[in-house]
Amino acid sequence: MLPHIQQGRFMNAGDDQTRQTNSASNYQTRDRDAVNGTGSTGTRFSGTLRASTRALPQVVEKKSGARTANFNSDVQQYMNIQHFEQLMQTFHAHKNEDGSSGFDIDKFREVFGKVLGGGLSYDQMTMLFMKIDANSDGTVDWDEFSTYMMAGSMGETEHMINVIDEKIRRMINGPHKDMIKRIDFVPKERKYVTVSREGVVGIYGLNLKLQKTIDTKKFFPNMSWVADSLFMHDHAKLVIITDDRQLCIFDILSIKPRLIACIAQLENNPLCLAYAPQYDDSGDLILFGDDGGYVNVLQITRKFLFDSSSDSDTFEQLTPAKLQKKDSLKKNSLSYYRRKIHTDWVLKVHYYPEMNGFVSCASENTKSLVIGDLERKTVRYIHVPKGIKCFDVCRRPSFLVTGGRDKIIRLWNPYVLSKPAGSLQGHNTAITSLIVNHEESQLISLSEDKVIKIWNIRNLNCIQTLMDKVPHRPENIISAIFFDATNRQFLTGSNKLETWPLYKNLRHTIARSHDAGVVAAMFNENFHQVVSGCQNGTVSIWDLASGDKIFQFHNAHGKLEITAMCFDASGRRLVTGSRDGIVKMWNFNNGMILRKMIKPNTLEATDVIFVEMGSNHYIIAVGWDRKITIFVEDPDHFETHPVRVLNGAGWGAHKGHEDDISSVAFCSPNMLATSSVDGVIVIWNLESGYIKLTLREPFLDLRSKEEKVVEKILFLQNPEKMSSRWHKIPLISCHADGYLRFWDIYEGCMVYEMNCQITEDEGLGTMALNPDNTLLMLGGSRGHIRIFDLKGFSLDNKKDYKDIENQVVMKTFWRAHIQSISSVNYVNAHDVILTSSKDGTIRVWTSDGTHIGIFGQEVPWVIDDPSTYMPLPVDVKKESAIEKQHNQLITSHRELLKKDVIETWKHGISKELQQDSESAEKVDLGKKIKEMRQRAIQVHIIQKWREQCQRRKEAEDWTISPDLISVKNQKRFFTFDAAMKPPKSHQRTTLRVKHDAVFHMLTCHSLDEIPAFAIPGPKQQTLKSKKGI
């Protein structure tokens, strides 16, 4: 299979081979193979190079800003084999002062400018240099260049999303009790026609609702099983061949279906049918192959079909002997002849006008497939072991596609049949049917085990695999297959009809960027590209200017998921972490693996970052092992092991994480922050490995496990103030309980928290800052995006933090996805925001929430042209409408509740005023009004709280220590006026929380655990003094 060639090093990232040494012999062998097109990669390289050049204009003409789109193809457009020879000689002849042979960027531009004759611009050559120089050593040698070009050429791919939506496949009940032999669509009548083995014809409407059933045995009672059938579209006639050596022609679409003609007593059993409409001026041809190896030709004149259009109930009984006579065409308007083509059964035959001949196949080794001419006896044939069972022709590119019992799909040049031009492997049983989707250059293949595969013929890649797990009777096979190009859907037949809609055919289908949930989508400023990775191990590179896919490689970590992603400091390399804890570094422009970093354990890596500390470069990985694993960036070794592991093996305030680490952030010069799923944030000195302090939010112990999780942490660094000695760098954290929290890591306290929930059950999943750290973007578990303005935020010269609330301002919010957002990214060059989600899409938005498009959509956009922007996605529009309706119901419910409270309050006040009419008691009127208000809240609101607590079955049982329940400590539970700040040596979080935070906690805890009338403010009286209330 061509895609397997040499993909272990470059494309198939699941292969973790160690790098080969670049000896002189390796250089020479690779040079000869690249130039001559031979060796293990030569054929694949040269073939893909030509295909890429042909496909290039389709990419370039899409938009004016295609400079960065599929840049590898742009290079190949200007290069031929002479250019490679000239470059190879120049690379080997060049020597630097230190003895090395690599080109620096100036020499690279000079040489490529001369060789290519100005085909590439200055910026294009600069970008090409950065792509090849993935290790950022400032030089490019011949080995790096040839490896990049070969890997990029093999890895070039088109849009590779699923074609068929198998989730909404539909089974159609029909009249058939036996296996369906043929499925067809009649565009003029807008009807589907199916024919089964027992001779029953089903006619369906456009919505696949059964309209008519015809039993052909009523016209011919002794008719045996149907071997094959076809519909003559231009004459609206159905042709059937049977196992008792008969060929029958029916008129099934008339008001009264009838049998027109029957040719009986054929010399062999017919097996397959083909139709050649308007073969010549006299009429049409019907071809059928039989079990004797013959291709039979039946010529039908228009006079015969016109005469048969009468309503007569009689039909003409004909024989081959009668039709083989010379004057048969004049007398009977039919003629018949046959040719011996194969020595085995003819399994399929078809007529192709572009070839001016027919193609037939058989299960024999010598003449497996034959291309013949009806007028001449010359034939050309193909030899295939075990023969060929099916075939089809692809027009663009021009290929003849075959499949058979050896489970291999072969692609042939119709004019060069000596050897196949390519092959596709993937089926485990014999291939029984092949259909080409000419519009998309896709191939649909079916095997005996009911596995359907969809292939991209241009790059020989499998796009999608479908498995029919439904048992069928009387035989557990798919007996018929049909691609409806008109209505863009795929149909299969057993004893029932089944439809498989295409994604493009769905009216409300959303374009998908990946086949699985997206882990992250990051913008690369060097190449103006978006790099994304999904959970099935696929990494894709996109052009932000248009949304086109530039490059893609699969199986980055074998069969395991990608769990974390980041760029290195130069932006030229990609770092990925996986489910087994392995961390890899890639040249993402060609899918070549550069480093493999192995942790001491196989637990998942949840986050990775690239850190520059002085002259040292590190890759830091955190995850389920609850440790910080540090790798040094070593270009001399392919496989590396950690140079240091931080686990905080101390006690008290110096103890590390006790649960899985979820996020990591770095602040120069040496400060590292990590967060875990138990809500703890630890600040480290990366240079010494010492834990500086541990942060916890005040009510952490009272939260459920789900609400404790810290999803993401970031340092809010202001480059203008970094040089100041007194500048404080805040730490921002987003939590699963929907709160955004700000921390003073110098004082060891939380300074501000903000409820960012747009819906009641939404948590925060990710966040990001713009380059100048003035905008904060938050992504939620329900798909909402929130934008905050942090221009005025600062912790410098503050004695208290009362005014921080005015420094964190929400600018706007909108719903971007219907599932949880996995990453959010800001592109400063275009002032747009990238969002990715578990729904498999990556979407682009303006900073005010206007939808631009989805990576992977069919129609490209122009990033600077608002007229090309796409409307709001249908899924978001639908969910937003539901959410708006839900919010309206909640608002109306709250208004009614508020009205009830006010009415109860007024009633209590009027009653008290009647009882206390004496003037002496008017002094205490304000106190009594407050008591009435508390009573009203207790009657109405507290009851609602209790009902809410009962509905939270998924939460754990809440427990509060007895000393908090007592009246003595009532003040300390609800207020923090008396909470003294602990000494810095203890490194505990200072409890500085506003009263609204206490009110928020009342909605999270059972009221049975909270003393009555425990409200923030002055000290309350004891319970004994309140018995009368």
Side-chain angles (χ1 to χ4, degrees), residues 164 444 452 481-483 489-492 498-500 502:
I164 294 174
I444 302 170
I452 301 169
I481 183 172
F482 176 70
F483 176 72
Q489 60 182 342
F490 180 62
L491 295 95
T492 58
E498 193 168 7
T499 176
W500 309 67
L502 273 67

Side-chain angles (χ1 to χ4, degrees), residues 362-369 381-389 402-410 412 417-420:
S363 296
E364 59 174 308
N365 298 335
T366 54
K367 293 183 179 180
S368 304
L369 182 138
Y381 48 85
I382 294 173
H383 307 282
V384 173
K386 299 183 181 181
I388 294 174
K389 299 189 69 173
T402 63
R405 289 186 295 171
D406 61 354
K407 301 169 284 188
I408 300 175
I409 300 173
R410 293 178 173 86
W412 307 80
L417 302 179
S418 58
K419 61 179 180 179

Side-chain angles (χ1 to χ4, degrees), residues 120-156:
L120 296 178
S121 67
Y122 182 91
D123 293 337
Q124 286 176 320
M125 287 189 290
T126 302
M127 188 175 295
L128 178 61
F129 180 88
M130 290 192 295
K131 286 184 176 182
I132 301 174
D133 183 29
N135 58 3
S136 302
D137 62 357
T139 60
V140 169
D141 56 22
W142 170 250
D143 183 60
E144 287 180 320
F145 173 74
S146 59
T147 299
Y148 170 81
M149 294 301 294
M150 295 171 71
S153 196
M154 287 185 294
E156 183 179 348

